[in-house]
Amino acid sequence: MKTLLLARHAKSDWDTAGLRDHDRPLNARGRRDAPMMARRLRDEDVRLQRILSSTAIRARSTAGEYAAAFGLAVVAEPALYAASARTILGIASALPDDVEVAMLVGHNPGMADAVAELTGSFVEFPTCAVAECAVDVASWSELIEGSGTLLRLRTPRD
């Protein structure tokens, strides 16, 4: 059994005209929510071992808060930027088997779609939400559509 945490980046800032989507930073709410969610996962005794993040600034910043809370490094994964569900699950299926609990930090609609494909559960996926999915596989390479169960959806508002 593996655990996959699918996380959407925290709220981003749209105030800078002409800034590329990839380069948008977190806004004040995002800078508040990301460390709060990271502490919450840590305090709930989630045993996170690996964090992969989209290369977008808002995703890397969000992932950095999780990394700080768990004493981990962030692995930049360019394919997570604007990724489809299929791409997200493909990235997860390539994780090393010694990792039992992993987090992918990315964007919607891909993250919500990946939860749906993996678990059959259709969820609202606000910014900074984290879907905790149990995946009934011995090896990440066995991860396929429908092989997971949504254990919990955490949002900054609950």
Side-chain angles (χ1 to χ4, degrees):
M1 184 73 73
K2 306 282 189 188
T3 301
L4 181 61
L5 301 169
L6 296 172
R8 185 176 176 194
H9 63 79
K11 191 78 173 164
S12 62
D13 190 344
W14 287 85
D15 290 343
T16 306
L19 195 63
R20 291 182 335 141
D21 179 72
H22 190 272
D23 297 334
R24 284 190 291 117
L26 296 179
N27 69 10
R29 188 173 101 193
R31 290 190 305 273
R32 180 190 69 231
D33 287 351
M36 181 268 301
M37 288 294 288
R39 286 189 305 272
R40 184 171 159 195
L41 287 180
R42 185 196 62 215
D43 293 349
E44 291 176 1
D45 209 27
V46 171
R47 301 283 186 201
L48 188 58
Q49 296 171 285
R50 179 75 50 99
I51 302 170
L52 283 75
S53 175
S54 158
T55 55
I57 289 173
R58 61 193 181 275
R60 287 191 345 237
S61 298
T62 303
E65 296 295 342
Y66 290 106
F70 285 89
L72 298 170
V74 175
V75 177
E77 176 49 69
L80 281 172
Y81 179 66
S84 68
R86 183 171 310 274
T87 298
I88 292 165
L89 296 181
I91 291 165
S93 71
L95 287 162
D97 288 332
D98 63 335
V99 172
E100 298 296 322
V101 182
M103 172 183 274
L104 304 182
V105 181
H107 312 269
N108 244 8
M111 285 295 168
D113 292 345
V115 171
E117 282 195 28
L118 182 62
T119 69
S121 296
F122 297 88
V123 295
E124 288 290 322
F125 217 81
T127 53
C128 214
V130 178
E132 183 177 1
C133 306
V135 187
D136 191 15
V137 296
S139 170
W140 289 105
S141 64
E142 299 168 0
L143 185 146
I144 58 169
E145 183 177 329
S147 63
T149 302
L150 179 62
L151 298 176
R152 184 167 178 193
L153 178 69
R154 293 173 178 89
T155 70
R157 304 283 179 255
D158 56 50

